[in-house]
Amino acid sequence: KYFILFFMVIIFILHSIVHYNKNKSTDEYLQEKTQQRYMEYQVVYNNYKAFANMTFQTHVNTSTIIDLFAARDRVGLKNYLDNDYQKLRQFSIRQLHFHLPNNDSFLRMHRPNKFGDNLTKARLTVKYVNENKKFIHGFEEGKIFNGFRFVYPLFKNNEHIGSVEVSYSALFFIKEMVQSYNVISNFFIDKKIVGEKVFSDEKSNYMQSPYEKYLIQKSIMRYLDIDSSKIKLSKQYKESVYEKVTKGAPFSMLFNGDMGQIITYIPLKNPITKKTVAVLSIKSDDRYIQNKQKNTLVFFLLMSSLVAIILYVIYKQLSYQYRLQSEVKEKTKALRMEKHELEKAQRIANLGFWSLNLKNNKVHWSKEIFNILEVDSLTFKPNNEVFLNCIHPEDKANLIDAYAQSLKDDEEYYINYRLIMNDGRIKWIKEERETTFDANGQAVVSTGVMQDITQERCNAQVIAEQAKMASMGEMIGNIAHQWRQPLSVISTAATGIKVQKEFTNLSDEDLFSTCDAINNNAQYLSRTIDDFRNFIKGERVKSFFNLKAEIDSFLNLIDGTIKENGIDIVLDIQEDIQIHGYQNELTQCFINIFNNAKDILIENELEPKLIFIATQVDKNNVHISIKDNAGGIAKKNISKVFEPYFTTKHQSQGTGLGLHMTYNLIVDGMHGSISVQNTQFKHENKDYVGAEFSIILPIQ
């Protein structure tokens, strides 16, 4: 009976231990699952944010869009953006929405006829951006749909003119989660918020979810092919979900008992109020806990039998071995899963991604970053010597300062820098970094996205070189035209002297006159060569120069072409304009614009052939106008003239690089602006139509 009593005590102790370990193991695994799902959510969100930033920079924050919006030309803005918006819809962008500074809706590209409503109360992100003139992003409820919104301030000449929003719908986000991670994901929207904010004609797009306090979008349920009426949840389960959602932190729960399913809930907070307005759920089949429970039962029965036979010592040894095997298996599985999920995320984004936990210095690197850095492994630290030694000396200080600054505030920052590879090659890197802070203002997580942009920069350099070579060909032709007449004069004068000398008919007066003519024409050739040499020598140094003198030099370079083709140059030049900039590059721009005008004037066989050049000063800017009477640019082509390789000429006659190079030199090189439009004008009481290029440059 003592043996039975001892056996029962051991069984009771074993049962208590097994029950405790089972619950502890389940809780720990649910926490790991929550962290994994939250990281997957963050990866998808950061991918969308990166694409939203790229959309803003390349499709919205352009001079044309800014001008149309500043002029409050709703129809023009809508028509100009229509093609781009349709393309962006294919990449999951749901909404491009422009707002006035008073928070009035100006243009919804997805519903262009819905405008004029004030968003101050309904859209706090819009109010925030217009008041603070700072970018903000996050999940926010709206009048038409709920989704992930990225709201940017808009400026013209440093003056705030309103804001624009790039948004993704909840449906697109769900599709990305399903396709990327093979999980069932859904959005639950606060019923009260839908009732208060959504337009009446949009409320029919929602239906009741299995949770009484939340609604779901019908479009998501159709995509998931789920009948919500067949989902049964116990009252206790729903109340537990409500209670944990109010705490605002992600969590995971077992679903349907022993069915092996886990649901992770991620509360989504309004970026302004910080209140939970929706919940993202992620459900997946997971047999780990089910198997763990079965293994625990087998373990219990086995150990009970062993205790009955060989007592506690042998049980102790086997238990120890089993725990070691279980831990090794669990860690191996977790490492494989982490590697698989991170690699999948990088394939989706096609970018190198890293995140650093600032509490414990744990870092996650994607495989793509190792490929960029050309290393097998790297342990990240803020002062990591392996990484810092790769940075170009001229960029190192800026990068360290930028990273240090990112740990002090929640602003995003972008920086381009160079890496020096082991073989001496230079790589250009574009990096975006952001730091997340907890409720106490302490930095907790730093994340970043790295991209190798070396090829992009090489492509830009090749385009510039090609354009320069094309211009060189044009200039050599100009020089040939200009030299013909002076060389003819020199040749004729020299021959005349020889003939007169042979017939002893050469007077001193004729000799001196002829020598003067030869010298004057030789000096003209020399000046032409000097102008040409100054143009091609490639020095890129900012200096002060007189604009009129620069235009005179440019006209001297093309004088032969002007005369040969019978082109009249009409000038309206202000005498005393001084510019601080790149003299050679401005000459290059004039030549590119002149060549395009010349070609179309010749092609259309127009008489007279006119090119007008005018300058004037307005405050701190100089305005340069170059126009012709060639009939203008076709409407379908006028928006494309500055694109690389775009040309309406035969491939043997044009490269399509001249105006693209001109745009880059004016905008990027001299911080100015250039535009083109068709214009009607009078000259000597005659009406003409032509293309007018307008260049605006800062004087200083």
Side-chain angles (χ1 to χ4, degrees):
K1 67 180 180 181
Y2 289 109
F3 177 81
I4 294 174
L5 179 61
F6 175 77
F7 178 78
M8 291 178 64
V9 170
I10 296 299
I11 294 299
F12 175 77
I13 294 173
L14 284 175
H15 180 270
S16 300
I17 294 174
V18 167
H19 181 72
Y20 171 79
N21 287 336
K22 181 185 72 173
N23 291 338
K24 181 180 179 182
S25 177
T26 300
D27 292 342
E28 291 176 347
Y29 186 74
L30 289 177
Q31 291 178 2
E32 292 176 1
K33 183 61 66 176
T34 300
Q35 294 176 355
Q36 174 192 339
R37 294 304 184 208
Y38 186 71
M39 179 171 286
E40 293 169 354
Y41 158 77
Q42 287 284 11
V43 167
V44 174
Y45 183 88
N46 286 334
N47 291 342
Y48 277 6
K49 182 170 67 172
F51 191 77
N53 289 339
M54 183 186 72
T55 299
F56 174 71
Q57 293 296 337
T58 59
H59 293 277
V60 177
N61 195 24
T62 66
S63 59
T64 302
I65 297 298
I66 293 299
D67 289 342
L68 288 171
F69 182 51
R72 303 306 187 228
D73 184 357
R74 181 182 294 103
V75 174
L77 182 60
K78 191 265 180 187
N79 291 339
Y80 187 86
L81 275 173
D82 201 49
N83 287 337
D84 284 353
Y85 175 65
Q86 297 306 322
K87 294 176 183 177
L88 292 173
R89 287 291 299 270
Q90 301 174 12
F91 293 93
S92 302
I93 286 184
R94 173 69 171 83
Q95 187 179 39
L96 278 179
H97 188 180
F98 290 81
H99 328 103
L100 299 179
N102 66 350
N103 307 324
D104 279 353
S105 171
F106 179 74
L107 173 63
R108 294 179 170 95
M109 287 299 297
H110 58 297
R111 292 189 66 176
N113 295 328
K114 202 86 169 179
F115 62 89
D117 51 305
N118 190 270
L119 305 174
T120 300
K121 293 183 179 179
R123 294 291 314 285
L124 297 181
T125 54
V126 174
K127 177 184 176 184
Y128 173 87
V129 171
N130 281 331
E131 286 182 351
N132 296 279
K133 302 173 182 59
K134 293 173 61 177
F135 165 67
I136 196 169
H137 60 90
F139 184 91
E140 186 182 35
E141 60 283 14
K143 290 188 174 185
I144 294 180
F145 81 104
N146 305 283
F148 296 91
R149 306 177 188 274
F150 303 84
V151 188
Y152 305 82
L154 291 174
F155 301 90
K156 181 176 182 181
N157 298 328
N158 295 324
E159 180 181 354
H160 178 243
I161 60 173
S163 57
V164 65
E165 165 192 345
V166 180
S167 300
Y168 302 86
S169 71
L171 175 59
F172 285 131
F173 200 93
I174 293 300
K175 288 182 179 180
E176 189 72 31
M177 293 294 295
V178 172
Q179 294 170 6
S180 299
Y181 300 108
N182 193 28
V183 295
I184 298 176
S185 188
N186 208 336
F187 267 101
F188 301 104
I189 314 298
D190 190 301
K191 182 188 295 186
K192 182 179 179 182
I193 291 174
V194 173
E196 291 175 351
K197 292 192 174 183
V198 175
F199 283 131
S200 298
D201 57 347
E202 296 288 338
K203 291 183 179 178
S204 60
N205 295 326
Y206 295 86
M207 60 186 296
Q208 181 61 52
S209 76
Y211 305 91
E212 289 84 358
K213 297 181 180 180
Y214 297 98
L215 300 179
I216 47 179
Q217 294 178 211
K218 292 180 180 179
S219 58
I220 293 178
M221 298 304 288
R222 286 194 296 268
Y223 170 73
L224 297 175
D225 194 21
I226 294 176
D227 185 356
S228 63
S229 63
K230 295 182 180 180
I231 301 176
K232 304 299 180 183
L233 301 175
S234 68
K235 181 179 179 181
Q236 181 181 1
Y237 183 88
K238 289 188 286 187
E239 289 179 351
S240 179
V241 170
Y242 295 151
E243 179 184 356
K244 292 184 177 181
V245 165
T246 57
K247 296 179 180 179
F251 61 94
S252 297
M253 294 179 60
L254 291 175
F255 181 70
N256 282 350
D258 295 331
M259 295 302 292
Q261 294 179 323
I262 293 177
I263 299 182
T264 300
Y265 297 88
I266 300 176
L268 301 177
K269 299 179 181 181
N270 183 290
I272 304 298
T273 65
K274 306 303 181 183
K275 292 182 179 180
T276 299
V277 294
V279 180
L280 172 66
S281 72
I282 306 172
K283 183 173 72 172
S284 61
D285 293 332
D286 197 315
R287 301 293 177 182
Y288 174 85
I289 294 179
Q290 184 181 16
N291 293 337
K292 190 73 175 179
Q293 293 172 341
K294 291 180 180 179
N295 292 340
T296 301
L297 178 60
V298 172
F299 171 80
F300 173 74
L301 295 175
L302 178 62
M303 291 301 102
S304 299
S305 300
L306 290 176
V307 167
I309 300 171
I310 59 176
L311 301 176
Y312 181 75
V313 176
I314 297 178
Y315 156 75
K316 182 74 173 180
Q317 184 64 28
L318 292 178
S319 176
Y320 175 73
Q321 293 178 358
Y322 178 84
R323 284 197 301 273
L324 284 179
Q325 293 173 356
S326 178
E327 289 175 2
V328 170
K329 182 178 179 181
E330 181 179 348
K331 290 181 179 180
T332 301
K333 181 179 179 180
L335 288 173
R336 288 176 178 173
M337 181 180 298
E338 181 181 45
K339 179 181 178 182
H340 174 73
E341 296 301 334
L342 287 174
E343 289 178 349
K344 182 186 292 185
Q346 301 318 306
R347 289 196 299 270
I348 295 171
N350 197 25
L351 299 169
F353 172 79
W354 60 264
S355 64
L356 171 66
N357 187 321
L358 299 171
K359 297 292 186 181
N360 54 23
N361 273 345
K362 281 191 175 182
V363 65
H364 290 284
W365 288 89
S366 70
K367 182 179 179 181
E368 186 62 29
I369 287 188
F370 295 132
N371 293 337
I372 293 173
L373 300 178
E374 299 181 9
V375 295
D376 295 329
S377 63
L378 188 65
T379 301
F380 179 82
K381 293 180 181 178
N383 60 346
N384 185 276
E385 294 298 329
V386 176
F387 180 64
L388 290 178
N389 288 338
C390 295
I391 300 171
H392 195 285
E394 296 177 4
D395 300 337
K396 186 177 295 185
N398 289 339
L399 182 62
I400 293 175
D401 291 344
Y403 178 64
Q405 185 62 36
S406 74
L407 297 177
K408 298 178 182 178
D409 54 48
D410 57 358
E411 296 289 336
E412 296 178 25
Y413 78 91
Y414 303 84
I415 187 169
N416 293 345
Y417 56 89
R418 289 163 289 179
L419 296 179
I420 303 177
M421 299 295 100
N422 289 333
D423 57 2
R425 288 179 294 111
I426 296 293
K427 273 191 178 182
W428 277 95
I429 303 299
K430 179 181 181 180
E431 185 167 357
E432 172 188 351
R433 292 188 178 187
E434 184 178 13
T435 301
T436 302
F437 297 82
D438 60 19
N440 297 322
Q442 297 295 317
V444 292
V445 177
S446 181
T447 58
V449 178
M450 293 174 62
Q451 184 178 16
D452 183 351
I453 59 171
T454 306
Q455 190 59 47
E456 295 177 17
R457 296 186 72 95
C458 288
N459 291 342
Q461 185 175 358
V462 168
I463 289 175
E465 291 296 329
Q466 290 174 338
K468 186 70 173 180
M469 292 303 296
S471 296
M472 289 286 292
E474 294 278 357
M475 290 305 303
I476 290 172
N478 286 332
I479 295 299
H481 290 313
Q482 287 177 253
W483 275 35
R484 285 174 184 166
Q485 182 179 356
L487 287 174
S488 177
V489 171
I490 292 172
S491 176
T492 301
T495 302
I497 292 175
K498 182 178 179 181
V499 170
Q500 287 178 308
K501 182 64 176 176
E502 289 176 353
F503 286 95
T504 65
N505 193 23
L506 180 62
S507 67
D508 290 343
E509 182 180 354
D510 290 337
L511 175 63
F512 294 149
S513 175
T514 303
C515 288
D516 287 341
I518 292 174
N519 179 63
N520 291 337
N521 282 276
Q523 291 299 323
Y524 173 78
L525 295 179
S526 177
R527 287 196 303 273
T528 303
I529 285 296
D530 287 341
D531 288 338
F532 182 63
R533 181 185 59 196
N534 290 335
F535 171 70
I536 67 172
K537 63 185 179 181
E539 294 183 359
R540 193 174 190 272
V541 179
K542 267 192 172 184
S543 62
F544 284 97
F545 60 91
N546 182 274
L547 180 58
K548 182 181 183 303
E550 181 62 22
I551 292 175
D552 290 341
S553 176
F554 147 67
L555 293 175
N556 185 47
L557 283 172
I558 61 172
D559 185 62
T561 301
I562 293 173
K563 292 177 179 177
E564 182 184 28
N565 294 290
I567 298 173
D568 290 332
I569 305 295
V570 182
L571 299 177
D572 181 12
I573 307 298
Q574 188 171 324
E575 293 281 346
D576 55 351
I577 299 177
Q578 295 288 325
I579 294 180
H580 186 239
Y582 300 106
Q583 190 171 353
N584 258 2
E585 294 187 356
L586 188 56
T587 300
Q588 176 72 67
C589 297
F590 291 157
I591 291 172
N592 292 338
I593 296 173
F594 169 80
N595 285 337
N596 278 273
K598 174 204 69 177
D599 291 343
I600 195 66
L601 286 168
I602 295 172
E603 179 182 334
N604 292 343
E605 298 181 350
L606 295 173
E607 289 298 337
K609 299 181 181 70
L610 302 173
I611 293 179
F612 301 80
I613 304 176
T615 63
Q616 66 176 5
V617 173
D618 178 19
K619 296 182 180 179
N620 292 324
N621 295 320
V622 58
H623 294 252
I624 305 171
S625 169
I626 304 176
K627 66 183 178 183
D628 56 57
N629 67 327
I633 303 171
K635 186 177 181 181
K636 65 179 181 179
N637 296 330
I638 197 165
S639 63
K640 304 176 183 178
V641 296
F642 295 119
E643 295 179 3
Y645 302 109
F646 175 78
T647 179
T648 58
K649 305 172 189 174
H650 187 271
Q651 132 180 13
S652 64
Q653 297 175 319
T655 64
L657 294 171
L659 291 181
H660 174 68
M661 178 183 180
T662 298
Y663 182 89
N664 288 339
L665 292 177
I666 294 295
V667 176
D668 297 332
M670 303 185 74
H671 304 293
S673 66
I674 181 171
S675 60
V676 62
Q677 63 181 0
N678 292 326
T679 182
Q680 297 179 348
F681 59 95
K682 280 184 178 292
H683 177 67
E684 295 182 349
N685 296 322
K686 290 186 179 180
D687 293 324
Y688 295 103
V689 176
E692 180 177 12
F693 286 83
S694 299
I695 300 172
I696 301 177
L697 296 174
I699 294 178
Q700 296 295 332

